[in-house]
Amino acid sequence: AHKFGAAFHLPHGMTCGIFLPHVIRYNSSLTPTRMGIYPGYDYPKALKRYARIAEYLNLPLPAEQEGATMEERRKEAFITKLYDMYTAMNVPKSFKEAGCDEDKFLSLIDELALKAFDDQCTPANPRFPLVEELKEILKQAFYGAEYWNEEVQRENKLALSSSEEVMTADTESQTTMETSESFVMGDLSD
């Protein structure tokens, strides 16, 4: 938020607010690329903490999604509440909606990601971001929730096709192993 707000002359609170839903999703990973060192976590705890906030606020849960845990649904309820508050207060939900110039953003994205990586607050984040991950968060916050949803849908399709390929490969490996095992066992029984 420091580097983006400075580059686009935005109030720090607005900048933090626009980043917040995307950072919550980023920090909620149970398999982070790298854990933050400052918070001293021995395992990822952010998802549980965000879910607890939604629970304390007694927020209505979104519809069940296949494979989503209760904690993930609560985290999404928390994010939904943030967006509802932004709407009620007439706060922009993306930097594009806030009037930031897209060409300027695209020309600065690499520099902004690198400066955010070097920011004094980055080590205090529960999940320590790589520069490429920061670029992704910048894009999500610039274009808004729709960009994030489209990107996740693409990733889910890729993961699904990839897991289907792995399952096919595993099935083929299992068949090969069973054939080899029966061949070997057949040799032993003769």
Side-chain angles (χ1 to χ4, degrees):
H2 293 136
K3 309 312 177 192
F4 195 97
F8 288 90
H9 309 289
L10 293 174
H12 187 64
M14 179 194 296
T15 306
C16 289
I18 292 172
F19 274 119
L20 186 58
H22 309 288
V23 172
I24 288 172
R25 285 190 177 118
Y26 175 79
N27 284 339
S28 294
S29 173
L30 295 176
T31 56
T33 310
R34 197 170 156 196
M35 290 286 292
I37 45 179
Y38 180 74
Y41 291 164
D42 50 350
Y43 62 91
K45 298 177 183 177
L47 175 61
K48 181 179 241 168
R49 290 179 174 183
Y50 295 132
R52 211 176 308 148
I53 292 169
E55 190 175 11
Y56 288 148
L57 295 173
N58 199 28
L59 298 176
L61 294 175
E64 283 193 44
Q65 294 175 340
E66 190 176 328
T69 66
M70 183 61 74
E71 287 178 338
E72 290 167 330
R73 291 177 63 212
R74 285 188 174 130
K75 170 204 66 179
E76 288 302 319
F78 179 41
I79 290 170
T80 298
K81 184 63 175 178
L82 289 173
Y83 283 130
D84 290 346
M85 290 181 354
Y86 296 171
T87 300
M89 295 184 292
N90 200 26
V91 172
K93 297 177 189 88
S94 70
F95 292 114
K96 191 171 185 177
E97 189 181 324
C100 295
D101 182 70
E102 185 174 14
D103 290 335
K104 181 178 178 180
F105 168 70
L106 294 172
S107 72
L108 290 176
I109 190 168
D110 292 328
E111 180 184 342
L112 289 169
L114 190 56
K115 285 182 175 181
F117 181 81
D118 288 335
D119 189 275
Q120 72 273 15
C121 294
T122 301
N125 197 56
R127 181 176 172 193
F128 196 85
L130 304 176
V131 174
E132 285 302 311
E133 293 170 327
L134 288 167
K135 281 173 65 172
E136 188 61 27
I137 293 168
L138 284 164
K139 286 187 241 175
Q140 292 166 4
F142 188 86
Y143 294 106
E146 294 76 28
Y147 174 85
W148 190 89
N149 291 335
E150 289 172 15
E151 192 68 23
V152 167
Q153 287 172 5
R154 274 195 295 273
E155 286 176 14
N156 287 343
K157 285 178 186 174
L158 287 173
L160 181 61
S161 66
S162 182
S163 67
E164 287 170 355
E165 289 171 14
V166 169
M167 287 174 60
T168 303
D170 285 349
T171 304
E172 290 169 2
S173 295
Q174 184 65 31
T175 304
T176 303
M177 287 173 48
E178 288 169 359
T179 305
S180 299
E181 189 177 280
S182 67
F183 177 75
V184 170
M185 294 307 254
D187 282 348
L188 292 175
S189 62
D190 286 341

